[in-house]
Each structure stands twice: as structure tokens, then as C-alpha cells.
């Protein structure tokens, strides 16, 4: 008899514990569900950058060719590895014809002829590379190419020197693109300002500054919603707690400059207002965080008509940290 009472008591305790855990879980889920994410309308300098990866290359890397046919070489005045300046004589001929000169300053990296040999027209006899004047060539998506202009400022990260900052400027944009899997990319040539310690072939990451605006009002991208061709945000009233739902007002807005994180508000909001962001969870933190990332985070499907947000363009954005009036 005693044994039955003990088993009954254990059963009651287990049932009570399970019930408590279930109630606690439901209460926790409801609390998470009720939380509201918010952001303050701020003012600062908005920068839009387009990024691309590439490699360090010399600006000058040129074959030197013979112009005349069957000329006999009198003297070879340089050696492989020797530094030359543009216009320096490299090779002379026995018949007194015009010598071959360096087309640009640099290092003679190859030399394939010697005195007494005869050359043919168009024959490559040497190669000159300038390792002191370097550039990086990065690939940019075709949808971003119209925004890339000559002389735009570029921030460069060299993978071999992660703690060192490099800068450059856009020198030119290729007139022809390369297509792969239905997407075309174009080469953008960026001249490196001070290429100390850099070597040809090093990997680079470039951020090209394509637009900037000071004293811009801005909010996170995921604060913007779209309906019937209009954009709007949910603004919390001054008396509404940021930890509970309700108390919001829908305001129609107009947008301007935007990057992958923030969007400028040109009409409809004022600095300091509190806007509501999509919830990260509606019952289960793991499942709903996934849902946010797939269906609405950072603008999601609601960003139609915003312009400039497309297929992993590599667009970067930041605010400078200078805020205020």
C-alpha cells in the first residue's frame, strides 16, 4: 500500500513539473512576441559605396618589339632586371637605323636577343614592367556600372596587409563586359595612390564612393514598407513603450539616397521620431529569426520601387558618424 502512495506522489510531482514548464514556455513565447524593435530617425552624412574584388596589377607592362626586318643588332645596352627610364636606348643596329628605346619607365623583366643577331619586324625582344606605379582591377556588376565614374575615391583593403589602409581613384571603366550565368561584369581600373609594399598579384577589396549627402535624415531599410506604389513607416507615439505592441501611426514617406543598410527620408519624418522595425520573433526565436531573414529583413519584398537594391550588387553603405544639424 505504501508503495502505491509513493508512486502516486511521484506521478503528481512529474505532472506538476511538466505543466509548469509548458506554462512558462508559453509565457516566454508571448513575451518575446510582444517585443517591438525600434529605431530613431537620425541625421548624418550618408555614403553609398559599391564594392568589388580584384588583384594588384602594374599600370605599365609592355612588350618591346622590333620595327624593322632583318636588322643586325650592334649592341644590347641593358640587362634583365635593370631599371630604365622612358626613352632610354636599349638596342642599337649595325646599319645605323633608329635604335629601340624604352616605351615607358620600369624594369626590364625579359630580354631575348643579343649582339650579332638579326631581328624580324614585330618580334618581341624585351618586356618592361613598372612595379612602382600600380593599380587594381576589380569586377563590378553591370547594374552598378552606370554609377562608376572616373576620379571617384576608393578605399582599398589589401588581404596581405589587413591592418594597413590604402586609397586610390577610378582611372577608367572597361567598355566591354564579361558574361557568366546571365550576369555581366565590367572591369574597373583603380590607380593606387601610394602602393608601398604592394606586389603584383596581391588580392584586393575595393569600396568605391559613388554618392554622399550631408545632413541626411535616415532610417534602417527594414523600417520602410510599400503598398499601392507608396512607401510608409510605422511611427510610435511618444507615450508608447518600445517593449509593447500598439500605439503606432502609419506615415507616408518619400525616400532618396540609399545603401544596403539605410535609406534617406526626404519627406514625411522628422529627426528624433521613433519608427517600428519588423519583429525578430513571433513565438519561437529560432523559427522567426529565420523568417525575418528570408522574408522582410533589410527591406525584403517590401522595397519594390526603392531603386538600386538588386542581386547582390556588392553595394555598401555607412554613415560617417558626423551627426547633428
Amino acid at each position: 500500500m505504501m508503495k502505491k502512495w509513493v508512486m502516486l506522489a511521484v506521478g503528481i510531482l512529474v505532472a506538476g513539473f511538466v505543466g509548469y514548464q509548458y506554462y512558462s514556455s508559453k509565457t516566454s513565447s508571448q513575451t518575446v512576441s510582444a517585443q517591438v524593435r525600434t529605431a530613431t530617425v537620425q541625421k548624418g552624412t550618408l555614403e553609398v559605396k559599391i564594392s568589388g574584388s580584384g588583384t594588384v596589377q602594374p599600370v605599365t607592362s609592355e612588350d618591346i618589339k622590333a620595327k624593322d626586318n632583318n636588322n643586325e643588332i650592334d649592341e644590347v645596352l641593358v640587362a634583365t632586371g635593370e631599371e630604365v627610364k622612358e626613352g632610354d636606348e636599349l638596342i642599337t643596329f649595325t646599319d645605323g637605323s633608329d635604335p629601340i628605346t624604352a616605351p615607358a619607365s620600369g624594369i626590364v623583366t625579359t630580354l631575348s636577343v643579343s649582339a650579332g643577331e638579326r631581328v624580324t619586324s614585330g618580334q618581341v625582344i624585351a618586356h618592361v614592367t613598372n612595379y612602382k606605379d600600380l593599380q587594381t582591377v576589380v569586377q563590378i556588376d553591370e547594374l552598378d556600372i552606370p554609377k562608376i565614374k572616373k576620379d571617384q575615391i576608393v578605399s582599398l583593403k589589401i588581404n596581405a596587409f589587413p591592418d594597413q589602409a590604402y586609397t586610390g581613384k577610378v582611372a577608367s571603366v572597361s567598355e566591354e563586359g564579361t558574361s557568366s550565368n546571365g550576369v555581366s561584369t565590367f572591369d574597373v581600373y583603380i590607380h593606387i595612390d601610394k602602393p608601398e609594399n604592394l606586389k603584383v598579384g596581391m588580392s584586393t577589396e575595393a569600396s568605391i564612393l559613388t554618392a554622399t549627402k550631408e545632413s541626411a535624415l535616415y532610417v534602417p531599410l527594414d523600417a520602410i514598407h510599400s503598398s499601392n506604389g507608396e512607401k510608409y513607416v510605422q511611427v510610435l507615439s511618444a507615450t508608447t513603450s518600445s517593449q509593447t505592441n500598439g500605439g503606432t501611426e502609419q506615415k507616408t514617406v518619400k525616400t532618396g539616397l540609399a545603401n544596403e543598410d539605410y535609406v534617406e527620408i526626404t519627406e514625411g519624418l522628422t529627426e528624433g521620431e521613433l519608427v517600428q522595425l519588423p519583429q525578430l520573433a513571433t513565438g519561437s526565436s529560432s523559427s522567426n529569426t529565420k523568417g525575418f531573414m528570408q522574408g522582410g529583413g533589410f527591406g525584403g519584398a517590401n522595397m519594390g520601387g526603392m531603386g538600386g537594391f538588386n542581386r547582390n550588387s556588392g553595394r555598401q553603405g555607412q554613415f560617417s558618424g558626423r551627426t547633428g544639424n
Side-chain angles (χ1 to χ4, degrees):
M1 185 64 123
M2 179 64 69
K3 188 172 182 180
K4 289 183 178 180
W5 278 106
V6 171
M7 293 298 293
L8 180 60
V10 170
I12 292 173
L13 288 174
V14 170
F17 178 77
V18 171
Y20 173 79
Q21 290 294 328
Y22 177 79
Y23 174 80
S24 177
S25 172
K26 293 289 287 182
T27 303
S28 175
S29 294
Q30 290 170 359
T31 301
V32 172
S33 172
Q35 290 182 346
V36 175
R37 297 172 60 240
T38 63
T40 302
V41 180
Q42 299 188 52
K43 180 182 287 188
T45 299
L46 173 60
E47 294 181 342
V48 180
K49 296 182 178 182
I50 293 173
S51 63
S53 58
T55 57
V56 174
Q57 299 182 14
V59 174
T60 299
S61 183
E62 192 169 341
D63 285 334
I64 301 173
K65 299 179 180 180
K67 296 181 180 179
D68 299 318
N69 198 35
N70 206 35
N71 275 4
E72 183 181 350
I73 296 174
D74 181 32
E75 286 185 280
V76 177
L77 304 175
V78 294
T80 302
E82 186 174 337
E83 186 172 354
V84 297
K85 294 182 179 180
E86 183 178 357
D88 284 353
E89 289 189 0
L90 306 181
I91 293 172
T92 60
F93 297 100
T94 57
D95 64 358
S97 58
D98 291 339
I100 293 176
T101 60
S105 299
I107 301 293
V108 178
T109 54
T110 63
L111 185 64
S112 58
V113 294
S114 57
E117 292 184 14
R118 292 185 177 274
V119 297
T120 57
S121 179
Q123 177 185 346
V124 176
I125 60 175
H127 190 92
V128 171
T129 302
N130 189 346
Y131 293 108
K132 296 180 180 179
D133 188 20
L134 301 178
Q135 63 184 354
T136 182
V137 182
V138 300
Q139 290 73 48
I140 301 296
D141 188 284
E142 62 181 319
L143 298 180
D144 289 322
I145 279 296
K147 304 176 184 67
I148 306 296
K149 308 295 181 185
K150 184 178 180 181
D151 293 331
Q152 285 175 335
I153 297 173
V154 183
S155 299
L156 293 169
K157 177 184 176 182
I158 310 299
N159 293 344
F161 302 103
D163 299 326
Q164 200 164 340
Y166 290 87
T167 60
K169 287 185 178 180
V170 174
S172 63
V173 179
S174 176
E175 294 295 332
E176 295 186 14
T178 302
S179 181
S180 177
N181 297 323
V183 178
S184 292
T185 58
F186 289 76
D187 287 340
V188 175
Y189 296 81
I190 299 166
H191 187 262
I192 302 173
D193 294 330
K194 296 179 180 179
E196 287 88 353
N197 301 321
L198 300 187
K199 296 184 180 297
V200 172
M202 285 183 171
S203 299
T204 63
E205 297 290 337
S207 293
I208 305 169
L209 181 62
T210 60
T212 184
K213 186 172 183 179
E214 296 182 356
S215 299
L217 287 178
Y218 63 90
V219 296
L221 277 183
D222 52 346
I224 307 295
H225 306 277
S226 181
S227 177
N228 298 322
E230 288 190 340
K231 304 183 189 72
Y232 66 91
V233 298
Q234 297 289 353
V235 179
L236 277 71
S237 66
T239 59
T240 301
S241 169
S242 63
Q243 297 300 314
T244 58
N245 286 316
T248 63
E249 175 188 358
Q250 180 173 309
K251 285 190 176 182
T252 301
V253 296
K254 292 185 179 180
T255 59
L257 201 61
N259 54 46
E260 67 177 9
D261 295 318
Y262 301 101
V263 57
E264 178 193 7
I265 302 298
T266 60
E267 188 177 315
L269 295 177
T270 58
E271 182 180 3
E273 288 188 287
L274 204 61
V275 297
Q276 183 174 322
L277 304 179
Q279 294 183 14
L280 290 176
T282 56
S284 169
S285 59
S286 60
S287 64
N288 287 285
T289 298
K290 181 178 179 182
F292 167 72
M293 296 302 290
Q294 291 179 343
F298 300 105
N302 292 330
M303 292 306 296
M306 182 68 71
F309 302 97
N310 37 47
R311 70 180 186 214
N312 300 321
S313 65
R315 190 175 290 98
Q316 297 179 336
Q318 65 180 38
F319 285 88
S320 68
R322 298 192 302 274
T323 58
N325 298 325

